[in-house]
Amino acid sequence: MKNKNMVLAFALAMLFVCGHVLAQEVNLSVLIADMASDDLGKQQQSQQDWQKICMQAGAPGHAAMLAEVNKQMVEQLGKDIPVVTKAWLLHQMAWTGDARVVPALADLLKNPEVRLREGAAKALAMNTSKEAADALKTALAGETDAANKKRIEDAIASGSTNLNVGGETEMPQALPYVSDADVQKWLAGFDKLSVDDKCRTIAALTVRNDKTYRKYALDAIKSDNDQLKRTGLLALEKLGTTGDLPLLIDSLGFDGGLVIRVATRIAEDGFDDAVMKALLAEKDNGRFEALGRILVDRNVTAVCNVLLTEAKKDDCPNRLGYLQIAAGVATKDDAANMVEVMLLVPVGRDRDRAETIIAGVCKGDAEPVIAGRNPVPPSLFSLLGRMGGDSAREIITQNLKSGNAAVREAALNGLCNWPNAAAANEMLAFAKDTNMPGALRTRALRAYVRVISLPNDQIGIRISPARQLDGLREAMTLANGTPEKQLIIDRASAIRIPESVTFAMQFIDAAALAQNVCNTVAELGRNVDLRRQNSNVLKPALEKVLEVSTDNNLKNRVQTYLGDM
């Protein structure tokens, strides 16, 4: 099983010109709601925030924090929260768990949700405590359902252990539990073993966690057999040393993702320094990126400046890629440096992505971008719009009145990037302004449609769903092109009231809009309360969707909804 606490501790020890990580306040309750949010961005952010806390809990001297992290996750597992959230917490507990979490995990092995049974089994398999191993053996011995038994066996295998009910007596599975003499006796015939048995042997030696046997992993990595290579690489998660870094770098071409995972988890003094030294000397772009990712995943914050410095060079082969990797450890203090990189990225999708990355690092605070810039150049208006906030709003509003058409257009683009509906009225006013060029009016209209239909926790203003729908109705009167009309119908699916169904169904007979209507009505029908409490509206609409839709998968879903009205 994984020596998780040591791995997590080292991954968070910022040994390269950094101090020790300071423990953060542990409060899972403030993040738990967003972990199942319909907004993928909010869901990922809350998960990442908690994951960072979990990793910090594994840092040296944070035993109390680790205990609190596990305690809060156990408490949440006992509450009525979405399955997807519980499954994600189980994924974290695979790395943070100790003997104290075992009872909660063991209870979930009997849960009716398959994802929770699998997650609990994997978390127990990764748990280094004797209690976890005993819980798995007990569950496996008492399980009568073949599918459930297979899940437990698979989980045990994923934890690099193969437990036999009744005791670990069969070789090579028993290697973690026998004497050194018995290990040597078995290894005397290693060269004659099949590939499968060699892999099982290396996995079992890994569980033993004795670097005396590291040579078997290294030889496997150097072999011509892919299965052996992967097994050897996985073994280095526990057995690897700083001296193995060159071999890991050479293995990036074999399976870069696996090498990055393994290198992230090696707990060895000097490893961070060695990776940084290799990064600074690396000339190959692919390897440079991989080494950067390893350092970011190990939370070595010094790598941020290295990546951004490289990203600003004229011959940088992947400016956006370096910026994105650096964002993993960047803070607001790095914003000015990141903006310099962003301005070198060509305007278009890549620039949009760069802006989104910086906005994510700054978390809605435009001050790090504005600081030292007076006036703020139009090239930053788009980024300021993505950040939102009062400071950015003041700059955008001021420049919307500029006598320079190019400056006004840049300000409008910033306005149209606003993250919520705080600027919805201004967007709508520009969409109605017949003195504006058609393309800019359309951009303002599409921005208005986006923000006015955001969910309550993102919209940024107090507004009822009925008023949100009124906003879409008004937008439809301004829409001249089919793409805008399709967008309006699509966004109606986010406003979960029966009137949204009625609104969308007006356009079911329009050939260019019919499939959008079908998608929206089906999405609204997916909401159990909405369809059951408003069956007089939903039932005929869903029946019409069955006639019109060209999507067989959607029609199958609709049939299910109609059967549950």
Side-chain angles (χ1 to χ4, degrees):
M1 294 185 186
K2 312 292 184 188
N3 188 2
K4 305 182 303 304
N5 292 349
M6 185 166 63
V7 173
L8 287 173
F10 198 76
L12 266 294
M14 304 190 295
L15 299 178
F16 192 86
V17 301
C18 303
H20 288 295
V21 178
L22 297 177
Q24 292 185 354
E25 180 183 356
V26 178
N27 192 347
L28 178 55
S29 63
V30 301
L31 298 172
I32 203 74
D34 285 344
M35 288 184 185
S37 173
D38 289 338
D39 181 343
L40 186 58
K42 293 191 71 171
Q43 181 185 123
Q44 291 177 339
Q45 186 61 57
S46 62
Q47 291 177 349
Q48 289 170 7
D49 287 347
W50 182 249
Q51 181 169 278
K52 288 180 180 178
I53 290 173
C54 289
M55 292 181 70
Q56 286 192 335
H62 289 176
M65 183 181 180
L66 184 64
E68 182 63 24
V69 161
N70 283 327
K71 175 186 174 184
Q72 291 193 24
M73 286 194 284
V74 167
E75 289 174 351
Q76 291 296 335
L77 288 177
K79 295 181 179 180
D80 184 18
I81 60 176
V83 171
V84 64
T85 303
K86 289 187 177 183
W88 192 84
L89 292 178
L90 288 171
H91 175 70
Q92 297 306 310
M93 294 175 80
W95 295 104
T96 66
D98 54 22
R100 288 169 289 191
V101 307
V102 170
L105 297 179
D107 285 345
L108 287 175
L109 292 175
K110 305 168 187 176
N111 194 280
E113 283 285 346
V114 173
R115 281 180 294 177
L116 298 186
R117 293 199 299 271
E118 289 182 345
K122 289 178 180 178
L124 285 169
M126 298 281 280
N127 193 307
T128 58
S129 70
K130 179 180 183 298
E131 289 84 349
D134 289 344
L136 282 172
K137 285 189 286 185
T138 299
L140 194 59
E143 186 57 69
T144 57
D145 182 86
N148 289 341
K149 190 169 186 177
K150 179 66 164 57
R151 289 188 186 97
I152 297 174
E153 290 173 341
D154 287 347
I156 292 171
S158 73
S160 299
T161 309
N162 194 336
L163 304 176
N164 288 317
V165 177
E168 300 86 2
T169 58
E170 183 179 341
M171 289 293 200
Q173 290 92 329
L175 285 173
Y177 317 105
V178 299
S179 67
D180 289 340
D182 286 336
V183 173
Q184 292 299 334
K185 182 178 179 181
W186 173 261
L187 291 177
F190 182 84
D191 291 340
K192 298 178 181 179
L193 296 176
S194 67
V195 169
D196 283 347
D197 277 341
K198 285 181 178 179
C199 289
R200 293 188 185 101
T201 296
I202 294 170
L205 291 174
T206 305
V207 177
R208 198 174 179 90
N209 199 21
D210 184 345
K211 293 187 179 183
T212 303
Y213 307 110
R214 177 169 140 269
K215 69 176 290 291
Y216 292 94
L218 300 180
D219 289 345
I221 296 170
K222 297 171 186 176
S223 76
D224 295 327
N225 183 278
D226 287 356
Q227 185 180 353
L228 277 172
K229 281 179 178 288
R230 288 193 172 87
T231 302
L233 285 168
L234 284 169
L236 291 189
E237 285 188 349
K238 290 185 70 174
L239 305 181
T241 69
T242 301
D244 298 328
L245 181 59
L247 180 59
L248 288 170
I249 293 174
D250 287 342
S251 300
L252 283 167
F254 169 66
D255 190 334
L258 179 58
V259 171
I260 291 171
R261 166 189 158 177
V262 169
T264 298
R265 296 171 182 173
I266 289 177
E268 175 83 355
D269 288 343
F271 192 78
D272 285 350
D273 289 357
V275 178
M276 182 65 81
K277 184 177 179 180
L279 175 77
L280 294 172
E282 187 57 64
K283 303 300 181 185
D284 178 79
N285 175 58
R287 290 186 173 191
F288 183 89
E289 286 190 24
L291 291 167
R293 288 184 187 280
I294 291 168
L295 287 166
V296 167
D297 289 346
R298 294 176 70 89
N299 211 18
V300 179
T301 57
V303 73
C304 182
N305 186 59
V306 174
L307 290 166
L308 295 178
T309 298
E310 287 295 316
K312 286 187 282 187
K313 291 183 177 179
D314 292 339
D315 60 348
C316 178
N318 188 8
R319 224 181 294 279
L320 180 62
Y322 292 4
L323 181 69
Q324 187 161 16
I325 296 170
V329 289
T331 68
K332 293 178 184 180
D333 292 339
D334 300 302
N337 210 4
M338 298 179 82
V339 168
E340 290 183 37
V341 176
M342 180 203 78
L343 292 174
L344 297 173
V345 175
V347 174
R349 284 190 176 183
D350 283 355
R351 173 69 72 85
D352 291 344
R353 178 59 189 148
E355 291 175 355
T356 301
I357 290 169
I358 297 172
V361 169
C362 291
K363 300 184 185 302
D365 182 5
E367 291 299 331
V369 173
I370 296 170
R373 292 185 170 93
N374 188 17
V376 177
S379 57
L380 297 184
F381 291 171
S382 180
L383 171 60
L384 293 180
R386 294 184 197 280
M387 292 179 166
D390 293 340
S391 299
R393 180 80 171 272
E394 182 179 348
I395 293 169
I396 295 296
T397 300
Q398 179 182 351
N399 284 279
L400 284 169
K401 303 171 185 176
S402 172
N404 185 309
V407 172
R408 288 198 308 274
E409 181 174 344
L412 178 61
N413 284 336
L415 181 74
C416 291
N417 285 340
W418 216 257
N420 55 40
N425 290 338
E426 291 94 326
M427 295 174 184
L428 184 60
F430 280 111
K432 292 179 176 180
D433 188 351
T434 56
N435 294 319
M436 293 282 291
L440 294 183
R441 291 179 61 197
T442 297
R443 176 155 172 67
L445 179 65
R446 293 180 69 88
Y448 174 76
V449 170
R450 173 180 60 83
V451 299
I452 202 64
S453 56
L454 287 170
N456 283 339
D457 59 346
Q458 299 173 46
I459 198 166
I461 61 174
R462 300 186 69 174
I463 186 173
S464 68
R467 180 64 190 90
Q468 287 181 274
L469 186 59
D470 286 342
L472 292 187
R473 289 193 180 99
E474 185 169 11
M476 188 63 86
T477 66
L478 300 172
N480 294 318
T482 296
E484 286 65 54
K485 293 177 180 179
Q486 291 174 333
L487 174 64
I488 292 166
I489 293 169
D490 290 345
R491 292 306 302 155
S493 66
I495 305 173
R496 296 173 182 174
I497 55 176
E499 290 80 3
S500 295
V501 177
T502 305
F503 167 72
M505 287 300 293
Q506 298 176 78
F507 309 101
I508 191 70
D509 294 325
L513 307 177
Q515 298 310 308
N516 299 82
V517 173
C518 291
N519 290 334
T520 287
V521 172
E523 180 61 24
L524 290 166
R526 186 167 69 94
N527 186 291
V528 176
D529 291 337
L530 182 63
R531 72 170 181 262
R532 288 179 179 174
Q533 295 171 16
N534 302 278
S535 58
N536 60 319
V537 176
L538 268 297
K539 187 172 186 294
L542 291 170
E543 288 173 343
K544 183 67 174 178
V545 167
L546 285 179
E547 297 177 16
V548 176
S549 177
T550 58
D551 184 338
N552 287 331
N553 289 331
L554 183 143
K555 290 163 82 169
N556 289 336
R557 285 170 46 210
V558 168
Q559 288 279 22
T560 301
Y561 303 155
L562 284 169
D564 184 30
M565 297 293 284

